């Protein structure tokens, strides 16, 4: 009897010590890395803005009807476009999309980085490839849908769900953007 | 068994995937292209080596009855550390390998080697076992990925460089980058490996 108690206590102690060491190590690593990760994320965000509106010199965040938009201005402070975000549900989680829109309401560029999505490697992850995303450039309205849905975007072979999620996400976000910013211009 | 043998064993004779048939979930799921296979292989190898070293180091103080919880704590702690560190240190590498890191936790090669090898052997042998098994896993999943990719997509990519492209004229058999292709190619690779071993005696 005494042996069982002694044994259980010993096992409990060993587990406790190992868990405590693991927790301490994790806390330490987290506190060091989370700062750097946050900084990296901010830089990635800046780069994405620059990528969708390359000619913008500065950006300004704006809130219209509770939705966040980012307006881009060139060196002469002329408005040269807006940026909005969409996060439609893909095949295995949300796909975070950054979309730029020119003053004539056509899409300037769509950016999805590998970290913005969790689609199937080798299939759905192809939505991050320029070959797919470049198709959105200069398009507006119903053209932003897949060809299968009577739009003008070629889906990625074997990744229709991911492609459709991106196309519909861009289109719905675009409509909302036009509605929200249209009246105020 | 001498140490050189421990190291070489993981690659052909005791290849974790082709002979021991463990770690099949990531092998089948993440081998749609050579690039993804390689990424998964390298990320898992890092964790495997480190967890083998740690588990071998604490094996004398770990009571038998609670060894599995101890293994799991060590492995998952290490995976999380790798995840954070890689995310902070190299966003480009993380962008490519990041999706695989959480999947390593469910890679049974790591728990399998902890139980079958590291728990019973000294630190140096366990390290070698980790490297050998890791290499065997990486090699297998990369080759599997390359075969599936060339038939199913007409390309071979490694480290995001396109090594080979059969061009527009090639009609890829899509099935090979889908799940059924993984099982087919995997079966053929197992047969090939057995043949190699039998030929050598």
């Amino acid at each position: 009897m005494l042996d069982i108690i002694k044994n259980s206590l010993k096992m409990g102690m060993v587990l406790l010590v190992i868990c405590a060491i693991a927790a301490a190590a994790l806390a330490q690593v987290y506190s060091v890395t989370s700062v750097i990760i946050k900084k990296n994320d901010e830089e990635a965000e800046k780069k994405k803005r620059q990528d969708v509106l390359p000619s913008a010199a500065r950006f300004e965040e704006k809130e219209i009807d509770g939705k966040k938009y980012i307006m881009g201005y060139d060196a002469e402070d002329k408005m040269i476009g807006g940026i909005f975000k969409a996060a439609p549900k893909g095949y295995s989680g949300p796909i975070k999309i950054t979309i730029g829109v020119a003053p004539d309401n056509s899409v300037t560029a769509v950016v999805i980085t590998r970290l913005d999505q969790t689609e199937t490697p080798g299939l759905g992850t192809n939505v991050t490839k320029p070959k797919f995303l470049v198709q959105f450039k200069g398009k507006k309205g119903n053209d932003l849908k897949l060809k299968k849905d009577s739009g003008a975007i070629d889906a990625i072979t074997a990744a229709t769900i991911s492609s459709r999620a991106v196309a519909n996400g861009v289109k719905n976000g675009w409509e909302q953007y036009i509605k929200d910013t249209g009246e105020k211009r | 068994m001498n140490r050189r043998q421990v190291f070489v064993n993981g690659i052909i004779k005791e290849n974790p995937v082709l002979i021991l048939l463990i770690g099949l979930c990531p092998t089948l799921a993440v081998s749609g292209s050579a690039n993804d296979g390689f990424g998964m292989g390298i990320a898992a190898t890092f964790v495997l080596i480190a967890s083998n070293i740690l588990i071998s180091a604490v094996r004398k103080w770990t009571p038998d009855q609670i060894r599995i919880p101890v293994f799991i704590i060590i492995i998952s702690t290490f995976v999380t550390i790798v995840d954070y560190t890689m995310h902070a240190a190299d966003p480009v590498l993380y962008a490519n390998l990041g999706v695989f890191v959480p999947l390593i936790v469910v890679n049974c090669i790591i728990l399998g080697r902890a139980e079958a090898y590291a728990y019973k052997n000294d630190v140096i042998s366990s390290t070698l076992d980790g490297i050998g098994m890791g290499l065997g896993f990486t090699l297998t999943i990369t080759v599997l990925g390359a075969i599936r990719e060339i038939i199913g997509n007409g390309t071979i990519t490694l480290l995001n460089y396109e090594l080979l492209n059969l061009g527009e004229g090639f009609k890829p058999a899509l099935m090979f980058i889908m799940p059924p292709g993984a099982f087919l190619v995997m079966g053929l690779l197992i047969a090939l490996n057995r043949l190699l071993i039998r030929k050598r005696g």
Side-chain angles (χ1 to χ4, degrees):
Chain A
M1 191 59 199
L2 211 68
D3 262 9
I4 298 172
I5 296 170
K6 231 171 110 187
N7 248 330
S8 311
L9 272 178
K10 193 193 162 206
M11 280 189 263
M13 284 311 286
V14 171
L15 262 186
L16 182 73
V17 169
I18 288 180
C19 285
I21 294 172
L26 277 182
Q28 192 57 38
V29 172
Y30 180 77
S31 66
V32 172
T33 53
S34 63
V35 184
I36 309 173
I37 291 172
K38 208 167 155 236
K39 208 179 103 231
N40 287 344
D41 285 349
E42 275 161 16
E43 265 163 34
E45 178 60 35
K46 262 190 211 152
K47 196 179 164 292
K48 271 188 252 175
R49 292 180 184 183
Q50 214 45 260
D51 280 350
V52 290
L53 286 181
S55 47
R58 67 178 187 90
F59 295 99
E60 203 181 287
E61 279 180 34
K62 239 186 203 170
E63 227 180 85
I64 306 173
D65 290 343
K67 288 223 168 53
K68 256 200 197 155
Y69 294 104
I70 303 149
M71 295 301 166
Y73 299 88
D74 68 2
E76 276 100 56
D77 235 21
K78 202 170 127 250
M79 215 272 280
I80 52 152
I83 300 169
F84 66 90
K85 305 247 170 189
K89 199 172 160 289
Y91 186 71
S92 53
I95 306 174
K96 294 183 206 136
I97 315 173
T98 310
I99 305 121
V101 184
D104 72 344
N105 286 345
S106 68
V107 170
T108 57
V110 174
V111 170
I112 306 170
T113 66
R114 295 209 38 156
L115 287 180
D116 288 337
Q117 48 79 41
T118 51
E119 299 304 280
T120 323
L123 292 172
T125 47
N126 285 337
V127 296
T128 61
K129 296 247 165 93
K131 201 181 152 201
F132 174 70
L133 294 175
V134 79
Q135 298 184 85
F136 289 95
K137 200 180 169 181
K139 295 204 169 71
K140 52 167 105 173
N142 274 335
D143 278 357
L144 294 171
K145 287 203 288 193
L146 293 188
K147 278 189 179 156
K148 292 178 187 180
D149 303 331
S150 65
I153 307 288
D154 274 317
I156 291 157
T157 329
T160 311
I161 295 176
S162 309
S163 315
R164 180 171 285 142
V166 172
N168 289 347
V170 172
K171 181 173 175 282
N172 294 339
W174 179 83
E175 278 170 352
Q176 188 69 40
Y177 171 86
I178 300 298
K179 216 179 99 204
D180 287 349
T181 59
E183 308 145 17
K184 319 235 151 133
R185 239 187 292 146
Chain B
M1 202 158 41
N2 69 38
R3 290 193 163 143
R4 205 184 72 87
Q5 227 175 341
V6 172
F7 173 69
V8 180
N9 256 348
I11 298 169
I12 303 234
K13 245 186 170 170
E14 267 180 46
N15 185 299
V17 180
L18 300 176
I19 300 292
L20 307 178
L21 296 176
I22 52 176
L24 293 185
C25 325
T27 310
L28 293 169
V30 202
S31 59
S33 73
N35 194 45
D36 290 340
F38 188 73
M40 180 71 190
I42 293 298
T45 303
F46 270 127
V47 177
L48 178 59
I49 296 169
S51 80
N52 259 11
I53 293 174
L54 269 174
I55 285 163
S56 170
V58 301
R59 71 185 191 282
K60 295 217 170 99
W61 301 288
T62 313
D64 248 3
Q65 299 96 317
I66 54 160
R67 65 184 191 285
I68 303 284
V70 171
F71 296 166
I72 300 280
I73 294 165
I74 291 178
I75 294 167
S76 50
T77 305
F78 204 78
V79 169
T80 316
I81 290 177
V82 168
D83 192 45
Y84 288 157
T85 314
M86 202 199 279
H87 196 162
D90 193 342
V92 182
L93 184 72
Y94 187 74
N96 288 309
L97 295 189
V99 286
F100 307 123
V101 176
L103 294 177
I104 299 171
V105 187
V106 294
N107 189 328
C108 42
I109 294 177
I110 294 161
L111 185 60
R113 290 328 284 175
E115 167 77 3
Y117 200 91
Y119 190 59
K120 298 172 190 135
N121 289 282
D122 63 283
V123 175
I124 295 169
S125 303
S126 299
T127 314
L128 288 173
D129 179 74
I131 300 173
M133 286 288 161
L135 278 181
F137 175 65
T138 309
L139 199 67
T140 314
I141 192 169
T142 311
V143 169
L144 186 59
I147 296 173
R148 289 178 63 192
E149 194 187 347
I150 192 76
I151 305 177
N153 198 30
T155 56
I156 291 183
T157 49
L158 202 59
L159 300 171
N160 286 334
Y161 287 107
E162 208 165 73
L163 299 180
L164 190 69
N165 194 336
L166 295 181
E168 293 290 312
F170 178 73
K171 276 258 178 283
L174 255 189
M175 190 192 82
F176 277 87
I177 50 172
M178 314 273 267
F183 284 100
L184 273 177
V185 178
M186 172 91 175
L188 291 173
L189 278 185
I190 292 174
L192 191 72
N193 189 41
R194 295 266 150 102
L195 197 72
L196 264 177
I197 291 169
R198 191 173 301 170
K199 278 252 170 80
R200 282 188 175 181

